[in-house]
């Protein structure tokens, strides 16, 4: 029996582990993939206080080592269900089940698919959701990035250093991402903005060779590309826990700033929670808040 089971070893979950261990609570962190969450795909974090430049991977590794050194236990197993009992909760994973007196769900989010035909089939054959993971395969080639948020803009900047040409395909003529990053993109000679346009078809033989693009007036054209980086946002990973927490229409966990969900002893922290600002700093803040609230809950039980 653990005091607190944390589902998700991203910045929110690992920060919660640090806070819970510093309060001498027993902690199990369950993670489906590898520690770090989506921040490991960020090449250079520039907006975290006191760290002017640090890669997402280095950041995540430091937090992981800090949590481990404080005594948090990590198991790399996907959690598939939470059962809410009268005295404790049971977290079921693909390998077994664990009992905890409180649970923090810090599962973050997964990539949203573009939704064009054969997208899944072409993953690893030209379609990618991670520029820093796969960008090197497209050195001196032509690639496109779809999306207009910070991820798309940062991916495009990263790829501009590697690829021959980077098309940025966005469905509107204004970017959702930061203007300072958009401005840097506009100054790159090998970056071409394809605005008010959507990718409507993937063209391939064995691998992707081109994308069909349709603009807002219905004009159809083709762009020859070897790589398509999809960066059209993310979907919260809460589906497995819908029986114990309330989700909003977009699937985010309904919990106030204190991270308490509708079920006593179950907390939601980080990008999977309803909130306005999803940043590294707000994820770590959520981790601290959720752990503190969980500690209070255990004290009052
Ligand atoms: P996002 O901000 O939600 O942007 C998603 C983009 O994809 C939007 O431009 C959206 O278009 C477009 N889009 C959505 N569905 C689409 C579809 N089916 N077809 C074509 N385009 C589609 O997602 P994100 O860029 O992944 O960022 C997520 C959060 O992380 C944001 O809060 C972001 O600021 C943050 N983030 C921060 C940093 C940083 O601070 N350095 C880095 C990365 C991410 P519309 O604009 O028309 O809706």
């Amino acid at each position: 029996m653990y005091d607190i089971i944390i589902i998700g070893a991203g910045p929110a979950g690992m920060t919660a582990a640090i806070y819970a261990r510093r309060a001498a609570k027993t902690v199990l962190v369950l993670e489906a993939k590898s520690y770090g969450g989506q921040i490991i795909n960020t090449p250079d974090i520039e907006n975290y206080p006191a760290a002017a430049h640090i890669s997402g991977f280095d950041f995540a590794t430091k937090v992981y080592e800090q949590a481990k050194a404080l005594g948090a236990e990590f198991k790399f197993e996907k959690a598939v269900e939470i059962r809410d009992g009268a005295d404790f909760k049971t977290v079921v994973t693909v390998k077994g089940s664990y009992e905890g007196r409180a649970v923090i769900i810090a599962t973050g989010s997964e990539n949203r698919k573009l939704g064009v035909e054969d997208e899944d089939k072409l993953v690893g054959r030209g379609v990618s959701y991670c520029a820093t993971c796969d960008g090197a395969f497209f050195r001196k080639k032509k690639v496109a990035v779809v999306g207009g948020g910070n991820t798309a803009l940062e991916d495009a900047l990263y790829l501009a250093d590697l690829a021959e040409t980077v098309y940025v395909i966005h469905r509107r003529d204004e970017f959702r991402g930061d203007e300072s990053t958009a401005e840097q993109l506009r100054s790159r000679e090998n970056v071409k903005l394809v605005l008010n346009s959507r990718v409507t078809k993937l063209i391939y033989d064995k691998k992707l060779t081109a994308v069909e693009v349709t603009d807002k007036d219905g004009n159809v054209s083709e762009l020859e590309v070897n790589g398509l980086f999809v960066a059209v946002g993310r979907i919260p990973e809460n589906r497995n826990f819908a029986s114990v927490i309330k989700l909003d229409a977009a699937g985010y966990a309904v919990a106030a700033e204190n991270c308490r969900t509708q079920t006593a002893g179950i907390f939601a922290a980080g990008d999977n929670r309803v909130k306005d600002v999803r940043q590294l700093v707000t994820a770590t803040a959520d981790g601290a808040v959720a752990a503190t609230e969980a500690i209070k809950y255990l004290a009052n039980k």
Side-chain angles (χ1 to χ4, degrees), residues 47 112-114 146-152 154 170-172 174 176 178 198 231-234 278-279:
N47 56 5
R112 176 180 289 129
K113 300 276 172 74
L114 200 51
V146 199
N150 275 320
T151 303
E154 290 183 7
H170 179 38
R171 63 186 179 183
R172 292 187 295 136
E174 274 178 20
R176 184 178 291 274
D178 295 348
R198 291 169 185 270
V232 295
R234 305 188 60 87
R278 293 197 173 85
Q279 294 280 301

Side-chain angles (χ1 to χ4, degrees), residues 34-87:
S34 55
Y35 68 78
Q38 61 169 309
I39 197 65
I40 59 170
N41 300 323
T42 298
D44 188 17
I45 300 165
E46 291 184 341
N47 56 5
Y48 199 80
H53 292 279
I54 183 167
S55 77
F57 180 76
D58 286 349
F59 178 89
T61 303
K62 279 175 187 277
V63 185
Y64 174 67
E65 284 169 355
Q66 191 176 353
K68 289 267 286 186
L70 284 165
E73 191 180 332
F74 284 74
K75 286 186 192 285
F76 292 89
E77 300 175 21
K78 185 177 171 65
V80 292
E81 190 188 348
I82 302 172
R83 293 185 197 138
D84 183 32
D87 295 323

Side-chain angles (χ1 to χ4, degrees), residues 223-277:
L223 294 175
E224 269 182 37
V225 290
N226 305 104
L228 179 71
F229 289 86
V230 179
V232 295
R234 305 188 60 87
I235 299 171
E237 294 209 58
N238 289 322
R239 282 178 301 252
N240 288 337
F241 315 118
S243 62
V244 286
I245 58 169
K246 190 171 165 199
L247 306 183
D248 74 359
Y252 289 97
V254 176
E257 287 301 308
N258 63 13
C259 297
R260 287 178 181 247
T261 69
Q262 84 201 43
T263 304
I266 300 184
F267 304 82
D271 279 7
N272 55 317
R273 180 175 77 79
V274 167
K275 55 161 77 176
D276 289 333
V277 182

